[in-house]
């Protein structure tokens, strides 16, 4: 210990250097004990680290995983993409504990509402839960557009409402009308304990895959309009529904955030890459070179207008860093397709669910 004090053998500057070195050695030990506190820690700024204790489950042994997310079953030879853990800069995420989750939420329901990215997260959570309690009885049922995964021993329901715009698409005489001010589908969301919403993936669809013919805004019916303006108007309609219908004492509301795609390698300093195929590692560091998609700012602006509490799962940046996490040619389309929008399971959506877990426990 004498070396840390000023004495005949040590100058003041040397002592300060020794103290600094000691603090640097101790800092990881101190931070290692700091678990995420949702009200105090920024869980969305950090980096991806290899962790051999991951993945949380083997996708090949998850009996109900859909083909489009099951990259391992579809022949993806590299598995390193399953072994990355998200490390926030200022704290550690509590590791997902399925048994603790099921016991705490006995008799409760959680519903994901949105497009196929919501299905991606829903499938992730059901696999995370099943893998930890593989002998627990479960049922998978479907009622209209709602898929229900129930753990019967615990009375826990993990549900998915496929609703790509949140607002309504209605068949009328002129054709299919996307109504930006109508949200009748919300009747399915009442009485749920935890709601996780998402929309963005379909807002720029055009041509044969566009599921509407006209857009109605107020009393005006249009053939088309600025899609970003339409997106924000729909979010405003949804936000008004939240304010009018959600009792924060009974229901927690989350928004999944904007899940990004990787089709342009110039965004990550690899201009020769025209897709995510053969990408095997995340980007290092905490910042995506290509920046955030404009939809993020629109979403945050819309959320800021909602009076009731809505927690944003701000997964965009951490997901942007995972150019390696997509199915590419190991998804639904196989080698004739290229999926750089959805995510392999096990993989990135498991982290979305770990962050959700840290918020709600």
């Amino acid at each position: 210990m004498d070396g840390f004090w000023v004495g005949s053998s040590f100058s003041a500057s040397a002592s300060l250097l020794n103290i600094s070195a000691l603090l640097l050695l101790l800092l990881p030990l101190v931070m290692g004990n700091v678990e995420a506190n949702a009200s105090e820690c920024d869980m969305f700024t950090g980096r991806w680290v290899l962790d051999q204790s991951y993945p949380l489950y083997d996708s090949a042994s998850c009996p109900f995983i859909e083909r489009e997310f099951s990259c391992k079953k579809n022949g993806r030879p590299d598995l390193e993409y399953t072994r990355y853990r998200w490390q926030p800069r200022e704290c550690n995420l509590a590791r997902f504990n399925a048994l603790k989750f099921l016991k705490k939420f006995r008799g409760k329901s959680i519903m994901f509402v949105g497009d196929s990215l919501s299905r991606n997260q829903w499938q992730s959570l059901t696999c995370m839960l099943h893998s930890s309690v593989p002998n627990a009885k479960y049922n998978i049922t479907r009622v209209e557009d709602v898929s229900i995964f129930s753990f019967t021993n615990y009375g826990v329901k993990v549900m998915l409402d496929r609703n790509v715009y949140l607002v309504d698409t209605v068949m009328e005489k002129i054709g299919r009308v996307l109504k930006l001010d109508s949200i009748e589908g919300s009747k399915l969301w009442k009485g749920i304990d935890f709601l996780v919403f998402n929309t963005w993936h379909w807002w720029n669809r055009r041509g044969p895959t566009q599921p509407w013919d006209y857009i109605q805004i107020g009393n005006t019916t249009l053939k088309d309009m600025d899609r970003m303006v339409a997106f924000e108007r729909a979010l405003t309609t949804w936000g008004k529904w939240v304010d009018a219908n959600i009792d924060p004492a009974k229901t927690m509301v989350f928004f999944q955030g904007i899940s990004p795609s990787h089709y342009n390698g110039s965004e990550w300093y690899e201009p020769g890459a025209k897709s995510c195929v053969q990408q095997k590692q995340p980007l290092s560091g905490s910042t995506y070179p290509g920046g955030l998609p404009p939809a993020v700012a629109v979403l945050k602006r819309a959320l800021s207008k909602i009076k009731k509490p809505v927690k944003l799962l701000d997964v965009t940046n951490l997901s942007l860093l995972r150019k390696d996490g997509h199915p590419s040619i190991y998804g639904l389309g196989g080698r004739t397709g290229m999926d750089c929008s959805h995510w392999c399971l096990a993989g990135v959506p498991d982290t979305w669910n770990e962050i959700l877990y840290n918020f709600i426990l």
Side-chain angles (χ1 to χ4, degrees), residues 316-331:
T316 308
N317 186 65
L318 67 88
S319 303
L320 278 167
L321 299 174
R322 291 302 306 273
K323 58 186 173 63
D324 61 315
H326 300 286
S328 67
I329 57 174
Y330 303 104

Side-chain angles (χ1 to χ4, degrees), residues 288-361:
Y288 186 66
L292 298 174
V296 174
V298 174
L299 170 61
K300 289 184 177 180
R301 185 165 63 242
L303 292 178
S304 71
K305 299 174 184 176
I306 302 174
K307 297 179 177 63
K308 297 286 179 68
V310 178
K311 292 178 170 56
L312 174 63
L313 297 177
D314 197 4
V315 300
T316 308
N317 186 65
L318 67 88
S319 303
L320 278 167
L321 299 174
R322 291 302 306 273
K323 58 186 173 63
D324 61 315
H326 300 286
S328 67
I329 57 174
Y330 303 104
L332 190 61
R335 293 187 176 274
T336 61
M338 178 59 63
D339 186 353
C340 299
S341 298
H342 299 100
W343 302 93
C344 293
L345 295 178
V348 173
D350 303 333
T351 293
W352 302 349
N353 282 321
E354 279 203 298
I355 291 173
L356 178 65
Y357 174 80
N358 278 261
F359 268 117
I360 64 180
L361 281 187

Side-chain angles (χ1 to χ4, degrees), residues 74-90:
N74 293 337
R76 182 167 176 171
D78 64 300
L79 293 176
E80 192 168 279
Y81 71 92
T82 69
R83 300 190 178 105
Y84 283 95
R85 172 178 56 80
W86 178 246
Q87 178 60 59
R89 181 181 295 166
E90 299 173 352

Side-chain angles (χ1 to χ4, degrees), residues 25 31-32 40 56 66 69 75 88 99 121 137 147 158 162 166 173 182 207 227 251 253 259 296 324 327 346:
L25 287 171
M31 291 303 296
E40 298 175 1
L56 296 171
E66 295 181 32
F69 309 136
L99 197 57
Q121 188 174 2
K137 293 180 180 179
S147 300
V158 186
R162 186 183 182 278
L166 300 185
K173 289 181 179 180
S182 175
R227 300 300 179 85
T251 302
V253 179
S259 176
V296 174
D324 61 315

Side-chain angles (χ1 to χ4, degrees), residues 28 67 79 211 235 258 264 331 336 343:
R67 181 185 167 194
L79 293 176
L235 288 173
I258 304 297
N264 182 4
T336 61
W343 302 93

